[in-house]
Every structure is written in structure tokens, then in C-alpha cells.
Amino acid sequence: MNKGLLVVISAPSGGGKGTILKELFARNENMRFSVSATTRAPRPGEVDGVDYYFVTREQFEDMIREGKMLEYTQYLGNYYGTPRGPVEDWTAQGYDVVLEIEVQGGSQIKAKVPECVSVFILPPSMQVLSKRLHGRGTEDEETVQKRLKKAIQEIPHAKDYDYIVFNDRLEDAVEDVQAILRAEKLKYEKNIESVERVLNDAETV
Ligand code: ADP
Ligand code: 5GP
């Protein structure tokens, strides 16, 4: 069985990661979401163990010490990190595993797992990003402003990603991510066994 893809998706806050991923998961049964651990407080509607594992700073630091994090970082004063176990188990079982993480974590993953596929989602403009963040209505004005400032620091890191997806029309953005994943699965390195199988069959013709 082929190993699943390790897919890193990053975008500035409000860039549309969550919205695009919801559509992708509805369309792909073979995909698993890596649930991150964080020390930030849950937003209304977020469920522990589904959206994040909500933990204390002490619990997070224990996980770091015990080597349980594949990557981690601090973002606007809170820890965020990817628990190693599920990612390794699921990719070995052939599932495509999606990490929805920010740019520092994205570069840690690229360094550790160079064969991962990384996608940066870009909003059409800062004005649209601001409108979407305000429209989401999940943060107070001060936090929205912090996230917009942070976006300006994050967007230059797009250069370290394999692909850029423009999130203007949602449907186009989802189709583009689907196309990337399809193409990644067709790379020669991922299909060496199939090529060999066809060649071995040739002896029986
Ligand atoms: P992120 O997960 O990157 O922080 P979200 O997926 O929560 O971003 O998107 C931020 C807001 O923008 C949400 O209210 C979402 O409904 C809206 N949004 C996302 N993508 C689009 C799009 N293509 N067109 C219009 N609104 C969008
Ligand atoms: P939010 O608070 O909006 O859920 O997330 C803030 C930022 O942290 C987003 O850019 C999100 O993608 C990122 N993030 C979420 N989980 C992780 C993680 O496990 N590791 C890293 N490095 N970033 C994460």
C-alpha cells in the first residue's frame, strides 16, 4: 500500500483554511485532519478533540519534553503544535493527512518531511481579508487587528510553499487544492512500484 500524502495548509488568519478544508473533507474519504494541541481558549462552537486539543501550558510543555510534537510554535502568545502519533500512524495506513498550521510550523515540517506537499492560501487582497475576518465575528476588534498585522508578516513566507492557491471564489480554491493533491499522487516517486509491476507483467506476454 502507498503511504498517504502529508499535506501542509497555511494561510493568514481569515484566509479561508477552515472553509476550504471543510469542503475538501466532504469530498475525500481518504483524508484525515491532524488535530493540533493549543493553549488558546476555545471559540464558541469549538469542540475539544475535534477542532483542537485544548491544553494548559504545563500540559503542552510536557508534550514537548516527551518528544510528542512533530512541530510546534507560539502564535500571538499561545502554543500550537502537531501531535506526532496520529500523523505517523495515518500516513502509514495510506491516509492523506492534512496539517492546518501557520508558517513557522510549515517550515519545520518541510525540513523534517521534505516529501510533504505544502499549500499557501492567499486572500485576493488585504481589504478582503479584513472584511472576512470582521465578517467571521469570532474575535474582538483588538484581536482582529493583531491578526491582520500578523498576516503582513506571514504572507512573505508564501515563497517557501510548493503551491499558492487564490481564495477568491471558494469553489475554484477547493478545485485547485484537489488538483494539487491529484497531481502529487501521480508523481513518479509515488508510483515506482506500479511501473515495476507493469514491467514484470511484460515477461508473461
Ligand atoms: P481561516 O480558517 O483561514 O482562519 P476561515 O475559513 O474561518 O479562515 O474564513 C474566514 C471567513 O471568511 C469566514 O467567515 C468564511 O466564511 C469567509 N470565507 C472564506 N473563504 C471565502 C470565500 N472564498 N469567499 C467568501 N468568504 C469566504
Ligand atoms: P487559530 O487561533 O485561528 O485557530 O489559529 C492560529 C494560527 O495557528 C493559524 O494560522 C493556524 O493555522 C495555526 N495553527 C493551528 N494549529 C497549529 C499547529 O499545530 N502548529 C502550528 N505551527 N500552527 C498551528
Side-chain angles (χ1 to χ4, degrees):
M1 186 207 291
N2 273 349
K3 262 186 93 176
L5 297 174
L6 182 58
V7 185
V8 174
I9 305 258
S10 300
S13 184
K17 299 176 295 286
T19 308
I20 291 170
L21 287 181
K22 207 169 143 211
E23 284 297 315
L24 273 181
F25 278 97
R27 297 178 193 194
N28 296 282
E29 283 178 0
N30 197 43
M31 204 174 250
R32 292 283 180 273
F33 180 69
S34 159
V35 179
S36 296
T38 183
T39 57
R40 91 150 156 72
R43 293 187 188 127
E46 282 185 332
V47 177
D48 187 35
V50 176
D51 299 286
Y52 281 106
Y53 295 106
F54 295 102
V55 299
T56 62
R57 289 190 81 82
E58 292 71 33
Q59 286 169 324
F60 200 104
E61 284 167 359
D62 282 347
M63 291 172 84
I64 298 171
R65 262 195 303 275
E66 291 160 10
K68 289 183 178 163
M69 290 302 188
L70 192 55
E71 61 75 34
Y72 69 93
T73 194
Q74 297 214 35
Y75 181 93
L76 299 178
N78 283 301
Y79 276 122
Y80 292 80
T82 303
R84 178 190 298 277
V87 172
E88 292 179 348
D89 294 347
W90 285 333
T91 50
Q93 290 162 20
Y95 291 108
D96 297 331
V97 178
V98 176
L99 311 188
E100 193 219 289
I101 61 179
E102 53 67 67
V103 294
Q104 306 299 336
S107 78
Q108 291 177 46
I109 296 289
K110 199 69 189 170
K112 278 191 188 161
V113 191
E115 70 274 19
C116 75
V117 49
S118 60
V119 178
F120 192 89
I121 295 169
L122 195 66
S125 66
M126 287 304 291
Q127 283 75 16
V128 171
L129 181 66
S130 168
K131 223 166 120 188
R132 287 184 184 165
L133 260 180
H134 282 102
R136 187 168 72 185
T138 47
E139 279 94 358
D140 58 28
E141 183 58 25
E142 192 192 339
T143 309
V144 168
Q145 291 307 327
K146 271 194 204 155
R147 284 173 181 247
L148 283 172
K149 273 209 190 111
K150 187 88 180 160
I152 296 166
Q153 297 166 9
E154 289 171 324
I155 291 172
H157 291 268
K159 71 172 183 358
D160 301 326
Y161 283 69
D162 298 320
Y163 297 96
I164 306 299
V165 165
F166 301 93
N167 183 20
D168 192 353
R169 242 187 97 237
L170 179 63
E171 180 61 26
D172 291 342
V174 174
E175 283 296 323
D176 286 348
V177 180
Q178 286 276 57
I180 290 165
L181 300 185
R182 275 184 72 114
E184 283 294 316
K185 285 173 192 280
L186 298 175
K187 281 195 163 159
Y188 172 70
E189 310 84 71
K190 297 227 159 51
N191 293 284
I192 296 172
E193 281 175 17
S194 300
V195 174
E196 283 171 356
R197 180 179 48 75
V198 172
L199 266 183
N200 289 338
D201 281 356
E203 289 165 13
T204 63
V205 173

Short mmCIF file of all heavy atoms in Angstrom, two decimals, residues 25 32 45 54 64 68 71 101 110-111 113-114 184 189 191 200:
data_model
loop_
_atom_site.label_atom_id
_atom_site.label_comp_id
_atom_site.label_asym_id
_atom_site.label_seq_id
_atom_site.Cartn_x
_atom_site.Cartn_y
_atom_site.Cartn_z
N PHE A 25 -12.80 17.87 2.96
CA PHE A 25 -13.10 16.67 3.74
C PHE A 25 -14.43 16.07 3.32
O PHE A 25 -14.60 14.86 3.34
CB PHE A 25 -13.04 16.96 5.24
CG PHE A 25 -11.65 16.90 5.76
CD1 PHE A 25 -10.90 18.05 5.93
CD2 PHE A 25 -11.04 15.68 6.03
CE1 PHE A 25 -9.59 18.00 6.38
CE2 PHE A 25 -9.73 15.61 6.49
CZ PHE A 25 -9.00 16.78 6.65
N ARG A 32 -7.49 12.57 6.47
CA ARG A 32 -7.62 12.73 7.92
C ARG A 32 -7.08 14.10 8.33
O ARG A 32 -6.08 14.55 7.78
CB ARG A 32 -6.83 11.65 8.67
CG ARG A 32 -7.38 10.24 8.51
CD ARG A 32 -8.60 10.04 9.37
NE ARG A 32 -9.17 8.72 9.27
CZ ARG A 32 -10.07 8.34 8.36
NH1 ARG A 32 -10.48 9.18 7.44
NH2 ARG A 32 -10.56 7.12 8.36
N GLY A 45 -18.45 27.12 19.97
CA GLY A 45 -18.72 26.06 18.97
C GLY A 45 -17.56 25.11 18.77
O GLY A 45 -17.73 24.03 18.21
N PHE A 54 -7.49 21.23 23.60
CA PHE A 54 -7.27 22.43 24.40
C PHE A 54 -6.56 22.02 25.68
O PHE A 54 -7.12 21.26 26.49
CB PHE A 54 -8.59 23.14 24.67
CG PHE A 54 -9.24 23.66 23.41
CD1 PHE A 54 -10.30 22.97 22.81
CD2 PHE A 54 -8.77 24.82 22.80
CE1 PHE A 54 -10.88 23.44 21.64
CE2 PHE A 54 -9.34 25.29 21.61
CZ PHE A 54 -10.40 24.60 21.03
N ILE A 64 6.06 18.61 24.73
CA ILE A 64 7.30 18.96 24.03
C ILE A 64 8.45 18.11 24.60
O ILE A 64 9.21 17.47 23.86
CB ILE A 64 7.65 20.46 24.19
CG1 ILE A 64 6.57 21.33 23.57
CG2 ILE A 64 9.01 20.76 23.57
CD1 ILE A 64 6.74 22.83 23.88
N LYS A 68 6.60 14.44 21.93
CA LYS A 68 5.33 14.06 21.29
C LYS A 68 4.89 15.03 20.20
O LYS A 68 3.86 14.81 19.56
CB LYS A 68 4.23 13.97 22.35
CG LYS A 68 4.39 12.77 23.28
CD LYS A 68 3.24 12.67 24.25
CE LYS A 68 3.39 11.43 25.13
NZ LYS A 68 2.53 11.51 26.32
N GLU A 71 5.92 19.24 15.34
CA GLU A 71 6.35 20.64 15.25
C GLU A 71 5.52 21.42 16.24
O GLU A 71 4.45 20.97 16.63
CB GLU A 71 6.17 21.23 13.84
CG GLU A 71 4.73 21.24 13.30
CD GLU A 71 3.83 22.30 13.90
OE1 GLU A 71 4.31 23.40 14.22
OE2 GLU A 71 2.63 22.03 14.07
N ILE A 101 -1.68 24.56 9.67
CA ILE A 101 -0.73 25.17 10.61
C ILE A 101 -0.18 26.48 10.05
O ILE A 101 -0.27 26.74 8.86
CB ILE A 101 0.43 24.20 10.96
CG1 ILE A 101 1.23 23.82 9.74
CG2 ILE A 101 -0.13 22.95 11.64
CD1 ILE A 101 2.40 22.88 10.04
N LYS A 110 8.49 21.01 6.55
CA LYS A 110 9.19 20.86 5.27
C LYS A 110 10.62 20.36 5.51
O LYS A 110 11.14 19.55 4.75
CB LYS A 110 9.21 22.21 4.53
CG LYS A 110 9.48 22.12 3.06
CD LYS A 110 8.33 21.46 2.31
CE LYS A 110 8.60 21.13 0.88
NZ LYS A 110 7.56 20.31 0.26
N ALA A 111 11.25 20.86 6.62
CA ALA A 111 12.61 20.44 6.92
C ALA A 111 12.65 18.97 7.36
O ALA A 111 13.57 18.22 7.01
CB ALA A 111 13.20 21.33 8.00
N VAL A 113 10.14 16.58 6.88
CA VAL A 113 9.48 15.65 5.94
C VAL A 113 9.46 16.31 4.55
O VAL A 113 8.44 16.84 4.12
CB VAL A 113 8.02 15.35 6.40
CG1 VAL A 113 7.42 14.21 5.59
CG2 VAL A 113 7.93 15.08 7.89
N PRO A 114 10.62 16.29 3.86
CA PRO A 114 10.71 17.06 2.61
C PRO A 114 9.70 16.62 1.55
O PRO A 114 9.36 17.41 0.67
CB PRO A 114 12.14 16.79 2.12
CG PRO A 114 12.87 16.23 3.29
CD PRO A 114 11.87 15.60 4.21
N GLU A 184 0.03 15.40 -7.17
CA GLU A 184 1.06 14.88 -6.26
C GLU A 184 1.07 13.36 -6.25
O GLU A 184 2.11 12.73 -6.21
CB GLU A 184 0.83 15.40 -4.84
CG GLU A 184 1.26 16.83 -4.63
CD GLU A 184 2.77 17.03 -4.75
OE1 GLU A 184 3.53 16.21 -4.19
OE2 GLU A 184 3.18 18.00 -5.39
N GLU A 189 7.93 9.25 -8.18
CA GLU A 189 8.42 8.62 -6.93
C GLU A 189 7.31 7.91 -6.17
O GLU A 189 7.58 6.98 -5.41
CB GLU A 189 9.03 9.66 -5.97
CG GLU A 189 10.05 10.59 -6.56
CD GLU A 189 9.40 11.76 -7.23
OE1 GLU A 189 8.84 12.61 -6.53
OE2 GLU A 189 9.44 11.83 -8.48
N ASN A 191 4.97 6.23 -7.58
CA ASN A 191 4.39 5.18 -8.42
C ASN A 191 5.42 4.20 -8.95
O ASN A 191 5.14 3.47 -9.90
CB ASN A 191 3.62 5.83 -9.59
CG ASN A 191 2.39 6.57 -9.06
OD1 ASN A 191 1.40 5.95 -8.72
ND2 ASN A 191 2.50 7.88 -8.95
N ASN A 200 7.22 -6.19 -14.86
CA ASN A 200 7.29 -7.61 -14.51
C ASN A 200 6.25 -8.40 -15.28
O ASN A 200 6.49 -9.52 -15.72
CB ASN A 200 7.08 -7.81 -13.00
CG ASN A 200 8.29 -7.32 -12.23
OD1 ASN A 200 9.38 -7.23 -12.78
ND2 ASN A 200 8.09 -6.98 -10.97
#
